Amino acid sequence: MTRQMGFPALWCKWIEGILVSARSSVLVNGSPTFEINCSKGVRQGDLLSPFLILLVMEGLSNILYKARIEALLRGIPIISHLFYADDALLLGEWEEDNVKNVARCLRIFYLASGLKINLQKSNIYGLGVGNDEVLNMCNVIGCKSDSIPLTYLGISVGSNMNRINNWTPIIEVFDKRLSAWKAKTLSIGGRLTLINSVLESLPIYYFSLYKAPVGVIKTLEAKMRKFLWVGSSNINKMNWVAWDWVTWPKNIGGLGINRLLEVNEALLVKWGWRFRVENHNLWRKVVEACHGKANHWSFLPLNSNIAGCWKNVVKLLNKLKLNGRGLNRLILGKVGNGVETRFWIDSWLGDLPFMERWPLLFGLELFKSCRVAERFETVQENRVYDWQWSRQPKFEEELKEWKECLEALSNVSLSSDKDKWYWFDDNQKVVSVKAVKKSLIVERVTSHPPNFNWCKWVPIKCNIMA
């Protein structure tokens, strides 16, 4: 397979040498027996295994790409398949010939690589198609039928995550983990350590993609709170200290437990940053195809008629304030050629976008989503009438803003470099969840931190008791 993909013969010989030279032995009463030659290739857990899987799956990707070029597979123009290690998701039009051609591509992949896809463990889903038709299609190629929502890479796809009952898997994971711990044998310091290292980490995968409902946050924090003070879910006991004090960082006097709402918001802020930085990634192209056609002058595109996780993320980021500033004033542009940066909407000259700095001029602009490169040519040549105004600025305040705009642009020059973005807050060039959480803690106004200094040379339970 590697030779067919164009790898040199010497490189293939190296890989073959690694696979052939593998040896194993069996432990009998703690003593190893004689060594056994491994005839099935890479051993389980070998670090080389993921690398080889990616190489082989690249061959399947090329087969599907070739079939799409030859019009044998018909589907979404920009994407026909998604691979993650040995997990594959194929997308296409609902036609019998299309599905049969997918099965033929998998057969060709088996003949070339020796890796056979188990159709009995594969599922087929139909969007806007009846169950009977899905079952008929399954009988054609010999796989199982299933329905939306589906679970892909451990995440629920197609569910309405605004409903609390769709977060049941996360709550069940909490309950399962708590039931396995012998809380009665743990001190309060040990329970605090388990909360910080385990319980706070369990929902992070979901929190990094979806905005969690308030009910889910309250349920999970109630379980954490009960485990901290009681240790058992069957006993009710009064909490020693208010949860607001407990969730302050240790350097301010709290126990260092993170508020799950702040963790969720900090993880979702990263999507705003990634949307600005990852200009050519597939996920951004999908978002722009769905939301970019609507008339919007906001920092992130949003079509309010389309429901989903992106809508919830954008609504949250538009309302979120970090150190008194919105996200559009924290993700700043450094203009190079000016092709990617929007002249009025993005913050690229100072920490305030031009639409807020000169609102009267922005109201006169017809092409409000224009790029810096498109406007800067007219500024350099002083071609005022080439700006696409609804009418020329004539009132005193409009002329004042126009003068300030030209003065600000007079010292700017474009280059051949690409536009770049950097995170203004906390003197960091890239966004970090830690910095966002720190800013969210500063924004707390409902409570004040406890006046306590942690002592590192005494046990945790003594600090908590104090």
Side-chain angles (χ1 to χ4, degrees):
M1 181 68 178
T2 52
R3 288 189 177 92
Q4 294 174 358
M5 294 174 65
F7 289 96
L10 180 59
W11 188 89
C12 297
K13 189 176 180 180
W14 289 343
I15 297 298
E16 185 179 0
I18 294 174
L19 302 179
V20 173
S21 62
R23 303 287 188 273
S24 298
S25 62
V26 181
L27 292 177
V28 178
N29 296 329
S31 301
T33 61
F34 56 89
E35 292 186 344
I36 304 171
N37 293 331
C38 297
S39 59
K40 294 295 183 180
V42 181
R43 292 166 290 179
Q44 185 175 4
D46 196 307
L47 298 178
L48 188 63
S49 179
F51 177 64
L52 294 178
I53 283 289
L54 292 177
L55 289 179
V56 175
M57 294 302 285
E58 184 67 22
L60 177 58
S61 178
N62 290 333
I63 291 173
L64 295 173
Y65 178 76
K66 178 69 173 178
R68 192 178 67 176
I69 295 298
E70 298 293 335
L72 298 176
L73 294 181
R74 294 177 296 279
I76 304 173
I78 62 174
I79 177 174
S80 61
H81 56 276
L82 291 173
F83 291 161
Y84 184 84
D86 59 346
D87 232 16
L89 180 66
L90 308 180
L91 309 173
E93 292 182 5
W94 188 262
E95 293 180 1
E96 185 174 336
D97 291 340
N98 215 24
V99 176
K100 286 182 178 179
N101 286 334
V102 169
R104 293 185 180 108
C105 290
L106 297 179
R107 173 69 177 172
I108 294 171
F109 175 69
Y110 162 62
L111 295 175
S113 65
L115 299 177
K116 187 175 183 180
I117 282 73
N118 190 345
L119 292 177
Q120 293 298 324
K121 294 183 179 180
S122 304
N123 297 327
I124 186 169
Y125 301 87
L127 297 178
V129 179
N131 294 332
D132 294 338
E133 194 170 348
V134 174
L135 290 173
N136 292 334
M137 193 69 74
C138 291
N139 294 330
V140 171
I141 60 175
C143 66
K144 297 189 298 183
S145 65
D146 207 343
S147 58
I148 302 294
L150 61 97
T151 300
Y152 180 66
L153 301 180
I155 205 78
S156 180
V157 179
S159 301
N160 184 0
M161 300 309 292
N162 294 326
R163 296 180 177 178
I164 296 178
N165 59 351
N166 289 327
W167 290 79
T168 302
I170 297 298
I171 298 175
E172 290 177 348
V173 168
F174 255 68
D175 293 335
K176 185 177 180 181
R177 194 59 62 93
L178 289 171
S179 64
W181 291 338
K182 297 179 180 179
K184 291 183 178 180
T185 63
L186 297 172
S187 66
I188 191 171
R191 295 198 294 269
L192 175 63
T193 301
L194 286 175
I195 290 174
N196 289 333
S197 59
V198 180
L199 291 185
E200 289 182 2
S201 304
L202 292 178
I204 280 182
Y205 187 25
Y206 269 72
F207 281 2
S208 62
L209 294 171
Y210 302 119
K211 183 183 181 300
V214 177
V216 173
I217 298 291
K218 289 183 178 180
T219 301
L220 297 180
E221 288 190 343
K223 294 180 181 295
M224 294 166 58
R225 185 165 58 246
K226 200 165 189 178
F227 177 72
L228 175 65
W229 298 121
V230 183
S232 174
S233 59
N234 300 324
I235 303 173
N236 292 323
K237 186 178 179 181
M238 184 180 67
N239 299 339
W240 292 359
V241 182
W243 189 248
D244 286 340
W245 276 31
V246 168
T247 54
W248 283 98
K250 289 184 177 180
N251 60 351
I252 304 179
L255 297 188
I257 298 177
N258 291 309
R259 290 186 181 180
L260 296 183
L261 177 62
E262 293 175 351
V263 173
N264 187 204
E265 292 176 347
L267 289 168
L268 294 181
V269 165
K270 198 97 183 233
W271 286 107
W273 166 258
R274 291 183 61 189
F275 186 86
R276 300 313 310 167
V277 176
E278 301 175 3
N279 296 326
H280 304 292
N281 283 25
L282 176 61
W283 75 270
R284 173 169 171 168
K285 293 179 181 178
V286 173
V287 170
E288 287 183 333
C290 297
H291 297 270
K293 295 181 180 179
N295 292 326
H296 65 89
W297 308 324
S298 60
F299 183 69
L300 298 172
L302 174 63
N303 186 345
S304 58
N305 295 324
I306 301 177
C309 59
W310 181 253
K311 180 179 180 179
N312 294 332
V313 169
V314 173
K315 283 188 173 182
L316 170 67
L317 299 185
N318 287 339
K319 294 188 298 182
L320 198 63
K321 298 292 182 183
L322 302 177
N323 296 333
R325 294 194 293 264
L327 198 65
N328 62 336
R329 297 177 61 183
L330 290 171
I331 301 179
L332 307 182
K334 184 177 181 181
V335 173
N337 54 21
V339 175
E340 297 290 340
T341 307
R342 293 173 295 182
F343 183 83
W344 294 102
I345 302 171
D346 296 330
S347 299
W348 61 277
L349 192 59
D351 62 345
L352 196 65
F354 287 177
M355 60 182 290
E356 298 180 19
R357 192 171 176 182
W358 299 301
L360 297 178
L361 287 184
F362 181 69
L364 296 176
E365 172 70 60
L366 291 177
F367 187 30
K368 299 184 186 296
S369 59
C370 61
R371 309 292 169 168
V372 172
E374 296 168 339
R375 282 289 169 267
F376 204 77
E377 295 177 356
T378 62
V379 174
Q380 284 183 320
E381 300 177 14
N382 199 23
R383 293 182 291 161
V384 179
Y385 293 97
D386 283 352
W387 289 55
Q388 297 184 20
W389 306 114
S390 59
R391 60 170 176 79
Q392 291 298 312
K394 60 181 180 179
F395 297 109
E396 182 179 354
E397 291 297 326
E398 295 172 350
L399 294 173
K400 181 181 178 182
E401 288 187 0
W402 173 241
K403 182 179 179 181
E404 292 176 357
C405 179
L406 292 179
E407 289 178 355
L409 296 174
S410 61
N411 297 323
V412 179
S413 59
L414 302 182
S415 64
S416 59
D417 298 332
K418 294 183 178 180
D419 297 343
K420 298 180 180 179
W421 300 89
Y422 64 95
W423 183 251
F424 180 77
D425 190 43
D426 203 24
N427 297 321
Q428 297 190 23
K429 292 185 178 180
V430 296
V431 66
S432 69
V433 176
K434 181 180 179 180
V436 177
K437 285 195 295 185
K438 183 178 178 181
S439 300
L440 291 172
I441 291 172
V442 174
E443 290 291 322
R444 293 184 189 177
V445 293
T446 57
S447 60
H448 62 280
N451 185 17
F452 178 76
N453 294 324
W454 277 67
C455 185
K456 296 182 179 179
W457 51 270
V458 300
I460 297 176
K461 63 180 181 181
C462 296
N463 279 289
I464 297 175
M465 186 65 68

